[in-house]
């Protein structure tokens, strides 16, 4: 199983903080934002991780993370040099993933739960896709899952009238067929390849399952959500989550 952290984008909603750095390097709690998804992947037993980021601050990302040795992991890097959307960024991982399955986390997703059990369930699933969803008070901000008879029957991006309160978080698991699906996509009205279209393609094949996060979850792409992420993360003791926590060492 390969891991992928998508850490691209211009971070325009966090300007001027992102004028000088990638938003995923901003602090969330005691650590840079990008440490959080890396930590979740490591705790799920994933050691090989591809990090996709933009060209503007690629050097800063590499200088922070290096080869992955300090994390007891192996990092590979790819540059997303166009604003092509989440699915386009994921498409850059095709060679890295090969014929394996992959776990994808958006770099600005900060959440409490460990994903090990979901990853294990997906491995047993034997293919297709699995996404994690979370009940939220403002689902119209996100992709919204419509549930029926224990299945997700559709996902609608930022609907004015949501069909449920369950948003699709930025935590996805795919088999290698995801790259064939991405190649069939057409850009949306905003000129991007949408990850919602990828998930709906798996729904059409009856190959998408889901899990529901129990703990707190937030993105950190706006000033309001970044503040919320910091408040939540400050109450999360990462040191207790792993006995040999390299993050604590690097934090000094």
């Amino acid at each position: 199983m390969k891991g992928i952290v998508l850490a691209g984008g211009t971070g325009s909603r966090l300007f001027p903080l992102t004028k000088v750095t990638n938003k995923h390097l901003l602090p969330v709690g005691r650590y840079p934002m990008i440490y959080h998804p890396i930590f979740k992947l490591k705790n799920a037993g994933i050691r090989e991780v591809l990090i996709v980021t933009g060209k503007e601050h690629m050097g800063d990302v590499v200088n922070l993370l290096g080869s992955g040795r300090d994390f007891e992991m192996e990092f590979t890097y790819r540059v997303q040099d166009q604003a092509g959307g989440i699915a386009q960024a994921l498409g850059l991982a095709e060679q890295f993933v090969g014929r394996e399955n992959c776990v994808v986390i958006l770099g600005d997703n900060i959440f409490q739960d460990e994903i090990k059990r979901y990853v294990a369930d997906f491995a047993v699933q034997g293919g297709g896709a699995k996404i994690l969803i979370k009940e939220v008070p403002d689902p119209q901000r996100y992709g919204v899952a419509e549930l029926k008879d224990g299945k997700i029957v559709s996902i609608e991006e930022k609907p004015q009238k949501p069909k449920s309160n369950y948003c699709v978080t930025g935590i996805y698991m795919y088999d290698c067929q995801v790259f064939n699906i991405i190649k069939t996509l057409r850009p949306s009205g905003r000129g991007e390849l949408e990850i919602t279209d990828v998930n709906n393609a798996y729904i059409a094949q009856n190959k998408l399952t889901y899990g529901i996060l129990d703990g707190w979850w937030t993105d950190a792409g706006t000033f309001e959500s970044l503040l919320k992420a910091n408040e939540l993360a400050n109450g999360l003791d990462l040191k207790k989550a792993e006995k040999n926590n390299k993050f604590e060492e690097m934090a000094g």
Side-chain angles (χ1 to χ4, degrees):
M1 191 89 69
K2 299 288 185 69
I4 302 168
V5 176
L6 300 183
T10 61
S12 59
R13 292 180 297 174
L14 287 171
F15 189 86
L17 297 181
T18 48
K19 186 175 181 179
V20 294
T21 191
N22 182 293
K23 76 173 180 180
H24 303 91
L25 304 186
L26 296 174
V28 174
R30 295 186 59 188
Y31 305 99
M33 188 187 301
I34 199 169
Y35 276 34
H36 291 268
I38 289 172
F39 188 82
K40 297 298 184 180
L41 290 170
K42 182 177 182 180
N43 274 4
I46 296 170
R47 292 297 182 266
E48 295 180 65
V49 175
L50 175 70
I51 296 162
V52 180
T53 190
K55 61 183 179 180
E56 294 84 358
H57 305 295
M58 168 63 85
D60 293 335
V61 175
V62 176
N63 284 337
L64 174 69
L65 300 177
S67 67
R69 183 181 62 180
D70 290 336
F71 299 81
E72 298 177 348
M73 302 170 78
E74 296 179 16
F75 294 156
T76 302
Y77 299 89
R78 288 294 306 269
V79 175
Q80 184 186 25
D81 55 6
Q82 56 181 318
I86 294 173
Q88 191 270 341
L90 176 56
L92 299 175
E94 184 173 9
Q95 279 191 314
F96 172 77
V97 173
R99 304 303 299 174
E100 296 190 45
N101 293 340
C102 60
V103 180
V104 184
I105 304 181
L106 301 189
D108 64 353
N109 271 226
I110 310 297
F111 53 96
Q112 183 178 21
D113 292 9
E114 296 299 333
I115 61 171
K116 185 174 184 178
R117 63 187 173 110
Y118 302 111
V119 172
D121 288 345
F122 181 60
V124 173
Q125 184 175 315
K130 187 180 192 72
I131 63 175
L132 301 186
I133 63 176
K134 177 67 180 175
E135 191 169 14
V136 295
D138 52 352
Q140 64 276 3
R141 289 184 55 213
Y142 309 100
V144 176
E146 179 185 5
L147 304 176
K148 186 176 181 180
D149 298 328
K151 293 184 177 182
I152 296 178
V153 297
S154 72
I155 299 172
E156 187 177 4
E157 188 66 25
K158 295 181 175 65
Q160 291 185 351
K161 296 181 179 180
K163 295 179 180 178
S164 80
N165 289 325
Y166 286 98
C167 80
V168 178
T169 70
I171 310 164
Y172 319 98
M173 298 161 219
Y174 298 115
D175 62 15
C176 63
Q177 294 305 311
V178 68
F179 302 107
N180 292 328
I181 291 174
I182 291 172
K183 291 171 185 176
T184 70
L185 299 182
R186 295 182 178 181
S188 65
R190 56 181 183 170
E192 297 185 354
L193 301 184
E194 304 288 351
I195 200 69
T196 292
D197 292 339
V198 171
N199 293 330
N200 277 323
Y202 277 106
I203 290 173
Q205 299 173 19
N206 197 29
K207 292 182 178 180
L208 183 135
T209 63
Y210 70 94
I212 301 176
L213 292 176
D214 298 317
W216 54 257
W217 166 89
T218 184
D219 65 4
T222 66
F223 283 107
E224 293 78 14
S225 60
L226 180 61
L227 175 61
K228 180 180 179 181
N230 271 279
E231 291 171 344
L232 293 169
N234 279 325
L236 179 64
D237 188 353
L238 294 179
K239 188 174 182 180
K240 291 181 180 178
E242 184 184 26
K243 291 182 181 178
N244 299 313
N245 188 352
K246 291 288 183 180
F247 296 170
E248 195 69 26
E249 289 181 21
M250 289 184 291

